[in-house]
Amino acid sequence: QVGQKANEVRSAVRQKIDDRRAELEAQEIQKLLNDPHFDATLPALETRAGSLHPVTLITEHIEDVFRAMGFYLLDYPEVETEENNFEGLNIPATHPARDMQDTFWLNDGNLLRTHTSPGQVRAMAEYKPPFRAIFPGRVFRYESTDASHEHTFHQVEGLMIEKEISVANLIASMKTLISEVLERDVTIRLRPGYFPFVEPGFELDIQCQVCHGNGCSVCKKSGWLELLPCGLVHPNVLRFGGLDPEVWSGWAFGLGLSRLVMMKYQIEDIRHLMAGDIRFISQFRKG
Ligand code: DAH
């Protein structure tokens, strides 16, 4: 009996609330209709869904491609030790290669990482071989800016540690990466390239997608864009990571994400990417 009564009370209260709400809504509508400035025939205000930054779109795409191939997705700090950024990658203090990567130093002796490669040192310390991983992120260089240089830009690093890795493995993986990400056939070329942390090292270039090889400010009139430096992990780097180079081998790449974004969307100036202009950013949609 009590339950029955309670139910009656509840529906009575609910009814009252509904009635009152309808009454208030009707009043509100009436008030608007009486307002000479209100025009019910005008379209409603548009709600705008946000959109992702093109660098985020491409990063997520690359993450999907590599995760499907069994790669870990790792996130490493932007503030690095000098050791991880340089020494562990076979770049001692006296090495001329340091001049190419001038950076921002912090008062405590650490630095803003100049590349995502220190992730190689961290990953080798963290995971037991064999393993494969990618680590995307922001990197920093102390340099003057122009259409193709920024002080802050994005890279994604890849590292595969296995027994008996060859250059053929490397090239096959890089080809998959580029065709998946750009979603079109792209002309590429492979040149020898020097990086202290790989041996042999390569520069993988793609034909400039902005000018289709004719020459423009993005490709510095060469028609080609250095996009994907890569190589077989140097024995010193393996050793520094605690791995025996007689047993373990690997490949690594450091993909310039900002450049890739520019190629994919035919953006003519890298400085658009970090400028935070909503008119620029909102042009990019998934799909
Ligand atoms: N860390 C290099 C840079 O930013 C790029 C690089 C070259 C990364 C070769 C690699 C590699 O992993 O194998 O200039």
PDB file of all heavy atoms in Angstrom, residues 249-267:
ATOM      1  N   SER A 249      71.026  -6.505 -34.277  1.00  0.00           N
ATOM      2  CA  SER A 249      71.165  -5.493 -35.319  1.00  0.00           C
ATOM      3  C   SER A 249      69.835  -4.749 -35.386  1.00  0.00           C
ATOM      4  O   SER A 249      68.884  -5.127 -34.704  1.00  0.00           O
ATOM      5  CB  SER A 249      71.465  -6.160 -36.663  1.00  0.00           C
ATOM      6  OG  SER A 249      70.476  -7.147 -36.931  1.00  0.00           O
ATOM      7  N   GLY A 250      69.788  -3.713 -36.203  1.00  0.00           N
ATOM      8  CA  GLY A 250      68.518  -2.996 -36.281  1.00  0.00           C
ATOM      9  C   GLY A 250      68.529  -1.933 -37.352  1.00  0.00           C
ATOM     10  O   GLY A 250      69.575  -1.593 -37.894  1.00  0.00           O
ATOM     11  N   TRP A 251      67.335  -1.456 -37.664  1.00  0.00           N
ATOM     12  CA  TRP A 251      67.264  -0.271 -38.510  1.00  0.00           C
ATOM     13  C   TRP A 251      66.552   0.848 -37.762  1.00  0.00           C
ATOM     14  O   TRP A 251      65.840   0.603 -36.786  1.00  0.00           O
ATOM     15  CB  TRP A 251      66.638  -0.510 -39.874  1.00  0.00           C
ATOM     16  CG  TRP A 251      65.251  -1.070 -39.992  1.00  0.00           C
ATOM     17  CD1 TRP A 251      64.901  -2.262 -40.560  1.00  0.00           C
ATOM     18  CD2 TRP A 251      64.005  -0.437 -39.618  1.00  0.00           C
ATOM     19  NE1 TRP A 251      63.531  -2.422 -40.540  1.00  0.00           N
ATOM     20  CE2 TRP A 251      62.963  -1.318 -39.968  1.00  0.00           C
ATOM     21  CE3 TRP A 251      63.666   0.758 -39.015  1.00  0.00           C
ATOM     22  CZ2 TRP A 251      61.607  -1.038 -39.743  1.00  0.00           C
ATOM     23  CZ3 TRP A 251      62.326   1.047 -38.771  1.00  0.00           C
ATOM     24  CH2 TRP A 251      61.313   0.157 -39.138  1.00  0.00           C
ATOM     25  N   ALA A 252      66.802   2.062 -38.210  1.00  0.00           N
ATOM     26  CA  ALA A 252      66.160   3.224 -37.604  1.00  0.00           C
ATOM     27  C   ALA A 252      65.847   4.233 -38.693  1.00  0.00           C
ATOM     28  O   ALA A 252      66.514   4.269 -39.731  1.00  0.00           O
ATOM     29  CB  ALA A 252      67.073   3.860 -36.570  1.00  0.00           C
ATOM     30  N   PHE A 253      64.796   5.011 -38.464  1.00  0.00           N
ATOM     31  CA  PHE A 253      64.538   6.123 -39.365  1.00  0.00           C
ATOM     32  C   PHE A 253      64.066   7.313 -38.550  1.00  0.00           C
ATOM     33  O   PHE A 253      63.607   7.165 -37.420  1.00  0.00           O
ATOM     34  CB  PHE A 253      63.495   5.761 -40.431  1.00  0.00           C
ATOM     35  CG  PHE A 253      62.098   5.576 -39.895  1.00  0.00           C
ATOM     36  CD1 PHE A 253      61.258   6.666 -39.684  1.00  0.00           C
ATOM     37  CD2 PHE A 253      61.620   4.306 -39.596  1.00  0.00           C
ATOM     38  CE1 PHE A 253      59.976   6.486 -39.172  1.00  0.00           C
ATOM     39  CE2 PHE A 253      60.337   4.118 -39.089  1.00  0.00           C
ATOM     40  CZ  PHE A 253      59.514   5.218 -38.879  1.00  0.00           C
ATOM     41  N   GLY A 254      64.231   8.494 -39.104  1.00  0.00           N
ATOM     42  CA  GLY A 254      63.742   9.715 -38.451  1.00  0.00           C
ATOM     43  C   GLY A 254      62.982  10.532 -39.469  1.00  0.00           C
ATOM     44  O   GLY A 254      63.557  11.255 -40.266  1.00  0.00           O
ATOM     45  N   LEU A 255      61.678  10.374 -39.446  1.00  0.00           N
ATOM     46  CA  LEU A 255      60.838  10.996 -40.473  1.00  0.00           C
ATOM     47  C   LEU A 255      60.467  12.423 -40.078  1.00  0.00           C
ATOM     48  O   LEU A 255      60.008  12.653 -38.965  1.00  0.00           O
ATOM     49  CB  LEU A 255      59.577  10.150 -40.636  1.00  0.00           C
ATOM     50  CG  LEU A 255      58.478  10.643 -41.553  1.00  0.00           C
ATOM     51  CD1 LEU A 255      58.948  10.645 -42.991  1.00  0.00           C
ATOM     52  CD2 LEU A 255      57.261   9.761 -41.415  1.00  0.00           C
ATOM     53  N   GLY A 256      60.677  13.359 -40.977  1.00  0.00           N
ATOM     54  CA  GLY A 256      60.269  14.742 -40.730  1.00  0.00           C
ATOM     55  C   GLY A 256      58.779  14.894 -40.946  1.00  0.00           C
ATOM     56  O   GLY A 256      58.305  14.977 -42.068  1.00  0.00           O
ATOM     57  N   LEU A 257      58.019  14.905 -39.838  1.00  0.00           N
ATOM     58  CA  LEU A 257      56.557  14.937 -39.948  1.00  0.00           C
ATOM     59  C   LEU A 257      56.059  16.244 -40.544  1.00  0.00           C
ATOM     60  O   LEU A 257      55.114  16.259 -41.332  1.00  0.00           O
ATOM     61  CB  LEU A 257      55.931  14.795 -38.559  1.00  0.00           C
ATOM     62  CG  LEU A 257      55.652  13.395 -38.071  1.00  0.00           C
ATOM     63  CD1 LEU A 257      54.946  13.471 -36.737  1.00  0.00           C
ATOM     64  CD2 LEU A 257      54.793  12.650 -39.075  1.00  0.00           C
ATOM     65  N   SER A 258      56.713  17.339 -40.155  1.00  0.00           N
ATOM     66  CA  SER A 258      56.249  18.632 -40.653  1.00  0.00           C
ATOM     67  C   SER A 258      56.363  18.674 -42.179  1.00  0.00           C
ATOM     68  O   SER A 258      55.453  19.122 -42.878  1.00  0.00           O
ATOM     69  CB  SER A 258      57.062  19.761 -40.039  1.00  0.00           C
ATOM     70  OG  SER A 258      57.072  19.636 -38.632  1.00  0.00           O
ATOM     71  N   ARG A 259      57.465  18.168 -42.684  1.00  0.00           N
ATOM     72  CA  ARG A 259      57.649  18.144 -44.148  1.00  0.00           C
ATOM     73  C   ARG A 259      56.640  17.233 -44.821  1.00  0.00           C
ATOM     74  O   ARG A 259      56.126  17.541 -45.889  1.00  0.00           O
ATOM     75  CB  ARG A 259      59.050  17.653 -44.488  1.00  0.00           C
ATOM     76  CG  ARG A 259      60.083  18.670 -44.152  1.00  0.00           C
ATOM     77  CD  ARG A 259      61.191  18.665 -45.172  1.00  0.00           C
ATOM     78  NE  ARG A 259      62.115  19.730 -44.841  1.00  0.00           N
ATOM     79  CZ  ARG A 259      63.417  19.622 -44.936  1.00  0.00           C
ATOM     80  NH1 ARG A 259      63.949  18.495 -45.368  1.00  0.00           N
ATOM     81  NH2 ARG A 259      64.184  20.629 -44.624  1.00  0.00           N
ATOM     82  N   LEU A 260      56.380  16.107 -44.168  1.00  0.00           N
ATOM     83  CA  LEU A 260      55.433  15.168 -44.745  1.00  0.00           C
ATOM     84  C   LEU A 260      54.043  15.811 -44.834  1.00  0.00           C
ATOM     85  O   LEU A 260      53.338  15.670 -45.833  1.00  0.00           O
ATOM     86  CB  LEU A 260      55.389  13.905 -43.894  1.00  0.00           C
ATOM     87  CG  LEU A 260      54.609  12.742 -44.479  1.00  0.00           C
ATOM     88  CD1 LEU A 260      55.209  12.310 -45.799  1.00  0.00           C
ATOM     89  CD2 LEU A 260      54.592  11.582 -43.505  1.00  0.00           C
ATOM     90  N   VAL A 261      53.676  16.514 -43.785  1.00  0.00           N
ATOM     91  CA  VAL A 261      52.395  17.221 -43.782  1.00  0.00           C
ATOM     92  C   VAL A 261      52.351  18.216 -44.930  1.00  0.00           C
ATOM     93  O   VAL A 261      51.360  18.312 -45.670  1.00  0.00           O
ATOM     94  CB  VAL A 261      52.186  17.968 -42.442  1.00  0.00           C
ATOM     95  CG1 VAL A 261      51.024  18.949 -42.541  1.00  0.00           C
ATOM     96  CG2 VAL A 261      51.940  16.988 -41.316  1.00  0.00           C
ATOM     97  N   MET A 262      53.452  18.923 -45.121  1.00  0.00           N
ATOM     98  CA  MET A 262      53.499  19.913 -46.204  1.00  0.00           C
ATOM     99  C   MET A 262      53.341  19.242 -47.550  1.00  0.00           C
ATOM    100  O   MET A 262      52.660  19.753 -48.444  1.00  0.00           O
ATOM    101  CB  MET A 262      54.815  20.682 -46.142  1.00  0.00           C
ATOM    102  CG  MET A 262      54.912  21.561 -44.905  1.00  0.00           C
ATOM    103  SD  MET A 262      56.555  22.242 -44.702  1.00  0.00           S
ATOM    104  CE  MET A 262      56.564  23.518 -45.955  1.00  0.00           C
ATOM    105  N   MET A 263      53.950  18.064 -47.703  1.00  0.00           N
ATOM    106  CA  MET A 263      53.847  17.340 -48.966  1.00  0.00           C
ATOM    107  C   MET A 263      52.437  16.826 -49.174  1.00  0.00           C
ATOM    108  O   MET A 263      51.870  16.916 -50.249  1.00  0.00           O
ATOM    109  CB  MET A 263      54.810  16.147 -48.981  1.00  0.00           C
ATOM    110  CG  MET A 263      56.252  16.513 -49.116  1.00  0.00           C
ATOM    111  SD  MET A 263      56.597  17.436 -50.624  1.00  0.00           S
ATOM    112  CE  MET A 263      56.715  19.087 -50.002  1.00  0.00           C
ATOM    113  N   LYS A 264      51.871  16.277 -48.111  1.00  0.00           N
ATOM    114  CA  LYS A 264      50.552  15.667 -48.258  1.00  0.00           C
ATOM    115  C   LYS A 264      49.495  16.708 -48.610  1.00  0.00           C
ATOM    116  O   LYS A 264      48.631  16.475 -49.430  1.00  0.00           O
ATOM    117  CB  LYS A 264      50.171  14.944 -46.971  1.00  0.00           C
ATOM    118  CG  LYS A 264      48.773  14.363 -47.024  1.00  0.00           C
ATOM    119  CD  LYS A 264      48.616  13.133 -46.181  1.00  0.00           C
ATOM    120  CE  LYS A 264      47.193  12.597 -46.349  1.00  0.00           C
ATOM    121  NZ  LYS A 264      47.005  11.334 -45.696  1.00  0.00           N
ATOM    122  N   TYR A 265      49.560  17.864 -47.961  1.00  0.00           N
ATOM    123  CA  TYR A 265      48.530  18.878 -48.171  1.00  0.00           C
ATOM    124  C   TYR A 265      48.991  20.039 -49.044  1.00  0.00           C
ATOM    125  O   TYR A 265      48.302  21.043 -49.161  1.00  0.00           O
ATOM    126  CB  TYR A 265      48.042  19.407 -46.822  1.00  0.00           C
ATOM    127  CG  TYR A 265      47.388  18.350 -45.969  1.00  0.00           C
ATOM    128  CD1 TYR A 265      48.013  17.887 -44.809  1.00  0.00           C
ATOM    129  CD2 TYR A 265      46.162  17.813 -46.329  1.00  0.00           C
ATOM    130  CE1 TYR A 265      47.414  16.917 -44.025  1.00  0.00           C
ATOM    131  CE2 TYR A 265      45.556  16.833 -45.553  1.00  0.00           C
ATOM    132  CZ  TYR A 265      46.194  16.389 -44.404  1.00  0.00           C
ATOM    133  OH  TYR A 265      45.607  15.433 -43.629  1.00  0.00           O
ATOM    134  N   GLN A 266      50.182  19.902 -49.612  1.00  0.00           N
ATOM    135  CA  GLN A 266      50.722  20.943 -50.490  1.00  0.00           C
ATOM    136  C   GLN A 266      50.729  22.317 -49.828  1.00  0.00           C
ATOM    137  O   GLN A 266      50.179  23.294 -50.333  1.00  0.00           O
ATOM    138  CB  GLN A 266      49.976  20.939 -51.814  1.00  0.00           C
ATOM    139  CG  GLN A 266      50.427  19.760 -52.656  1.00  0.00           C
ATOM    140  CD  GLN A 266      49.357  19.229 -53.574  1.00  0.00           C
ATOM    141  OE1 GLN A 266      48.489  19.952 -54.009  1.00  0.00           O
ATOM    142  NE2 GLN A 266      49.420  17.958 -53.863  1.00  0.00           N
ATOM    143  N   ILE A 267      51.349  22.364 -48.659  1.00  0.00           N
ATOM    144  CA  ILE A 267      51.486  23.610 -47.894  1.00  0.00           C
ATOM    145  C   ILE A 267      52.837  24.222 -48.254  1.00  0.00           C
ATOM    146  O   ILE A 267      53.857  23.534 -48.234  1.00  0.00           O
ATOM    147  CB  ILE A 267      51.422  23.301 -46.389  1.00  0.00           C
ATOM    148  CG1 ILE A 267      50.061  22.685 -46.055  1.00  0.00           C
ATOM    149  CG2 ILE A 267      51.672  24.564 -45.568  1.00  0.00           C
ATOM    150  CD1 ILE A 267      49.995  22.058 -44.694  1.00  0.00           C
TER     151      ILE A 267
END
